Amino acid sequence: MIGVLVSGEGSNLQALLDAGLPVAAVASSRRAARALERAEAAGVPSAAFPLDDYGDREQRDTTMADWLQEHGIRLVVCAGYMHLLTVPFLARFPGRIVNVHPSLLPAFPGTRAIDDALAAGVETTGVTVHLVDEGLDTGPVIRQEPVPVRPRETLAERIHAVEHRLLPEVVRELAGAGR
Ligand code: GRF
């Protein structure tokens, strides 16, 4: 069973759902996330765990991990999840948390990866699916695909299209491998 962590639009969550993957729970860091509406429309249990409701990040992450495990989750996918995960969460799903990121890591980590690649003037950027650790987009790479920067006007759209294909592919392989 797959759990998906989200914070916003949820187009990657939608790609996982459309691929028919066994998404059994969706957890959001924000109450107002469009991703929660997508989960509801798909009939997938969802919940918000906003930081403001908890004493600290570890408490929030522990509650979120409890909730995911109650839903039988074995593999966690960060799909546009905008917070770092703390050790109490990572320890509950060792080697079983992946993230999709819109650059060829280790180039352009962080929340502005597409704009940063455009500003840097590189010719090629891309998409990375990687295992999550405590760092900001630092875990071991599982799969990468390059995307040419030009034409610049359509870069974001083309990157998202690659994400929506690559993430379900990798998640299907990991889920099939018993994660
Ligand atoms: C994606 O570009 C993802 O790589 C990045 O945040 C964006 C989330 O988009 N981490 P969405 O919420 O899946 O539509």
Side-chain angles (χ1 to χ4, degrees), residues 156-179:
E157 193 183 315
R158 287 180 290 111
I159 284 193
H160 293 313
V162 172
E163 289 183 321
H164 298 160
R165 172 170 49 74
L166 205 63
L167 182 64
E169 255 175 50
V170 174
V171 169
R172 188 181 301 284
E173 288 171 18
L174 293 175
R179 298 212 205 192

Side-chain angles (χ1 to χ4, degrees), residues 5-89:
L5 305 189
V6 296
S7 295
E9 175 58 30
S11 67
N12 281 287
L13 166 65
Q14 193 65 56
L16 295 167
L17 292 168
D18 292 348
L21 286 159
V23 177
V26 173
S28 175
S29 61
R30 289 179 48 234
R31 278 203 186 84
R34 163 89 177 103
L36 289 173
E37 294 172 21
R38 296 180 190 267
E40 195 178 334
V44 176
S46 62
F49 299 87
L51 208 42
D52 289 351
D53 290 1
Y54 301 88
D56 58 29
R57 296 161 58 89
E58 282 79 4
Q59 273 181 37
R60 188 274 300 277
D61 283 6
T62 300
T63 308
M64 191 163 71
D66 288 344
W67 185 80
L68 290 169
Q69 288 188 326
E70 279 160 22
H71 285 79
I73 300 308
R74 299 218 358 105
L75 177 65
V76 176
V77 181
C78 298
Y81 185 68
M82 301 307 276
H83 288 184
L84 291 177
L85 292 169
T86 58
V87 170
F89 189 96

Side-chain angles (χ1 to χ4, degrees), residues 97-99 101 103-107 127-133 137-145 166 170 174 179:
I97 309 173
V98 300
N99 180 44
H101 182 80
S103 76
L104 294 177
L105 292 171
V127 172
T128 301
V129 180
H130 66 98
L131 286 173
V132 173
D133 63 13
D137 303 320
T138 49
V141 170
I142 301 173
R143 186 84 53 85
Q144 291 188 307
E145 188 167 310
L166 205 63
V170 174
L174 293 175
R179 298 212 205 192

